[in-house]
Amino acid sequence: MRKVFVSVMLLGKLNPTDYVSEDFELSTQHFDFPLSYIINNEVQEGDEVEIITAVEHGSGSVQQASDNYAKFHEEVNTLLSQRQAKVHFEEIAINKEFEAETFTKFFKEITLLVRDNDLIYTDVTFGMKVYTLSMFIALAYAVKAAVGAEMRCVLYSQKYTGTDAALDKNTSKLCDVTSLFYLNAIAGNAKSGQKQDLDKLFDIIISE
């Protein structure tokens, strides 16, 4: 059983950010990347860990994504160095030069990296929307098709201005949006004629 952490790397400049959350218990240790907080919470001593990251490559400002990935790689290595975890990093190279099969190929790359019994955690905060959407769809398929695979967390970090202090320093709120993954699973299994019954189900499971 592996713990698998999947994300698309930040494209822009990495700015100092304070993170807050109502959904997660956050370490007092500061991390630059939202997913590092989830890795810190979930990885135990001796775990087998797979870090899958899509990183845009190119010249000029695009180089920033590679620089950010190097910092993330170092942050995770430092974080897990004392836990004797078996950690493997898998980088998926992406770019802005789109063609007809760009995103289906990306879908395939993600799915081939998921194994039976994987516990999956994904961060949908960063990256071009179409890559993030492709990643989400790929993981939805992989969790359904693999034996014993499970989506444990879908993380999203949003700009936060909930306190006066947040106005003075870049602050983001870490949100647990895993419920969207499982609502998507219900939607994917829906059949024609079931809408009325499913609408009633959603009234029960989704509170106002």
Side-chain angles (χ1 to χ4, degrees):
M1 180 182 69
R2 303 184 306 170
K3 293 181 178 177
V4 181
F5 299 86
V6 190
S7 64
V8 180
M9 183 45 57
L10 170 67
L11 297 174
K13 182 179 179 181
L14 180 64
N15 296 313
T17 301
D18 281 349
Y19 291 101
V20 298
S21 183
E22 296 176 358
D23 297 330
F24 303 102
E25 184 175 335
L26 302 185
S27 169
T28 55
Q29 182 180 356
H30 174 77
F31 299 113
D32 287 325
F33 297 90
L35 191 56
S36 295
Y37 285 94
I38 307 304
I39 294 171
N40 181 64
N41 286 353
E42 297 296 330
V43 175
Q44 305 297 320
E45 185 171 343
D47 280 346
E48 182 178 0
V49 179
E50 183 81 5
I51 310 292
I52 301 171
T53 314
V55 184
E56 186 170 328
H57 286 260
S59 58
S61 61
V62 176
Q63 177 62 34
Q64 188 66 56
S66 294
D67 294 342
N68 291 338
Y69 178 62
K71 293 176 182 177
F72 175 64
H73 193 293
E74 180 181 5
E75 181 167 271
V76 173
N77 265 334
T78 300
L79 165 61
L80 298 181
S81 61
Q82 302 301 317
R83 302 191 191 183
Q84 299 180 347
K86 181 182 178 182
V87 184
H88 178 258
F89 290 85
E90 183 73 36
E91 179 183 352
I92 301 176
I94 58 176
N95 59 65
K96 291 183 178 178
E97 301 300 322
F98 302 152
E99 58 184 22
E101 296 182 348
T102 294
F103 303 109
T104 54
K105 289 178 180 177
F106 179 64
F107 168 95
K108 182 179 179 181
E109 286 185 276
I110 293 288
T111 60
L112 289 176
L113 293 172
V114 176
R115 302 176 187 172
D116 290 347
N117 301 310
D118 278 349
L119 303 180
I120 301 171
Y121 309 78
T122 186
D123 181 2
V124 297
T125 302
F126 302 129
M128 296 182 63
K129 290 182 177 63
V130 68
Y131 276 117
T132 306
L133 178 60
S134 299
M135 177 180 71
F136 187 91
I137 295 170
L139 293 175
Y141 157 74
V143 166
K144 188 171 183 178
V147 176
E150 180 182 348
M151 177 60 71
R152 300 297 295 271
C153 176
V154 180
L155 169 68
Y156 179 73
S157 177
Q158 67 173 14
K159 178 68 177 177
Y160 178 71
T161 56
T163 66
D164 291 340
L167 300 177
D168 299 325
K169 187 168 184 179
N170 193 31
T171 305
S172 288
K173 184 177 183 180
L174 302 188
C175 302
D176 184 351
V177 295
T178 313
S179 58
L180 292 177
F181 185 88
Y182 289 103
L183 287 174
N184 179 68
I186 294 174
N189 288 320
K191 294 179 174 60
S192 178
Q194 289 185 325
K195 186 175 185 302
Q196 186 174 3
D197 289 337
L198 288 175
D199 286 347
K200 292 178 181 178
L201 172 64
F202 290 144
D203 281 340
I204 296 172
I205 64 177
I206 302 174
S207 59
E208 295 293 336

